[in-house]
Amino acid sequence: MSVYNRLSDTSKKKFVVLIDPDKPTDEQIVEIVEKSVKVGVDFFFVGGSLLTTDSLDNCIKLIKKHCDIPVLIFPGNSLQISKWCDGFLLLSLISGRNADMLIGRHVISAPYLKLYGNEIIPTGYMLIDGGKQTSVSYMSNTTPIPHDKDDIAMCTALAGEMLGLKIIYMDAGSGALEPISADMIAKVKKTIEIPLIVGGGINTPEKAANAAKAGADIIVVGNALEKSIDKLKEFADAVHNS
Ligand code: 1GP
């Protein structure tokens, strides 16, 4: 089954652990993976706004050595490419108006992605204001959609779908003070037919459940699990039981 088919199986909510390959040691990665297998994590996303080491390949290979959970690259820039991943979120930053993030970086990456034969997931990536400036907003030189402007989010997601993008990822940014509101998630979900990923600032199992119940098909948690892996099962159960 292709990674996209697994992502778009909406019969069950999906839980994603985001790993910034710069941060954990090899031992910590193995611990995260072993625990993730036990609690039924559906996917790993690997990437970061700014990587300062060449840890990406090693991180992906290590994950894949210890489990069958699909590993997708969630790239912070066009250097984050690997032949070892199972899928690649080719992000078009449709909430912004920086042409480089809409098509420019993709031109640079495309021949390498083709060479590596990665499964490409064309992704409409939308930054939503989460109460503080995030690394993604700064690094991409784009302004997020205001937290309460549900109509802008709906129309942006719809335009992304009409352009042929296969999945929408609404992100308040890593460590956001406020996750994306349930209202915005619900309205965007009703507007589009493609799967909806939601992440950013989901730092409790309750917030994960709220996002899933509001309509997110796939929930991403990074920061909270970097701080402590102890609540991994609670997060996974919160998503899967929603
Ligand atoms: C950020 O959506 C991800 O791009 C995850 O955010 O690190 O806040 O969980 P957190």
Side-chain angles (χ1 to χ4, degrees):
M1 192 190 238
S2 71
V3 173
Y4 182 70
N5 282 346
R6 293 172 79 154
L7 285 166
S8 49
D9 163 25
T10 48
S11 63
K12 184 175 150 256
K13 304 283 179 180
K14 305 286 190 296
F15 178 54
V16 177
V17 172
L18 171 64
I19 298 179
D20 180 335
D22 262 357
K23 293 185 181 161
T25 61
D26 284 6
E27 292 71 29
Q28 285 168 329
I29 291 172
V30 173
E31 185 193 356
I32 294 167
V33 171
E34 285 174 348
K35 290 188 169 161
S36 295
V37 170
K38 280 193 192 136
V39 307
V41 167
D42 297 284
F43 300 94
F44 287 109
F45 286 179
V46 178
S49 299
L50 178 68
L51 300 188
T52 56
T53 66
D54 64 348
S55 50
L56 184 67
D57 272 344
N58 176 59
C59 178
I60 295 171
K61 284 200 263 184
L62 203 51
I63 297 171
K64 293 193 62 65
K65 188 175 166 192
H66 288 89
C67 73
D68 294 324
I69 299 170
V71 182
L72 282 81
I73 293 184
F74 171 41
N77 59 49
S78 43
L79 294 174
Q80 293 174 31
I81 291 180
S82 169
K83 63 179 167 187
W84 304 105
C85 67
D86 298 299
F88 186 92
L89 297 172
L90 187 61
L91 306 176
S92 190
L93 184 42
I94 57 175
S95 58
R97 297 297 178 267
N98 179 346
D100 212 25
M101 299 293 161
L102 287 161
I103 179 65
R105 303 289 175 92
H106 317 63
V107 174
I108 296 166
S109 304
Y112 293 93
L113 294 170
K114 177 103 176 167
L115 189 69
Y116 292 160
N118 294 150
E119 183 182 333
I120 304 300
I121 320 289
T123 304
Y125 186 53
M126 295 168 48
L127 277 183
I128 313 295
D129 195 326
K132 69 170 192 181
Q133 180 159 27
T134 58
S135 301
V136 192
S137 170
Y138 179 80
M139 296 298 288
S140 65
N141 197 18
T142 66
T143 308
I145 293 173
H147 188 79
D148 58 350
K149 298 295 182 192
D150 301 349
D151 51 351
I152 299 179
M154 288 159 65
C155 296
T156 305
L158 183 60
E161 181 178 69
M162 287 174 168
L163 280 167
L165 297 168
K166 298 290 186 210
I167 201 161
I168 296 291
Y169 187 158
M170 289 207 296
D171 195 351
S174 195
L177 300 178
E178 288 285 331
I180 297 166
S181 75
D183 274 356
M184 183 181 280
I185 294 170
K187 287 177 183 165
V188 168
K189 177 63 188 167
K190 280 194 192 116
T191 305
I192 56 172
E193 288 176 22
I194 52 179
L196 177 61
I197 307 176
V198 171
I202 298 177
N203 53 14
T204 64
E206 294 71 31
K207 289 178 186 172
N210 290 344
K213 283 183 186 139
D217 300 302
I218 300 159
I219 311 293
V220 183
V221 176
N223 227 23
L225 295 169
E226 272 172 19
K227 287 185 182 149
S228 163
I229 195 76
D230 294 349
K231 289 210 165 151
L232 182 68
K233 181 168 165 39
E234 281 181 61
F235 273 107
D237 289 350
V239 171
H240 291 146
N241 298 330
S242 293

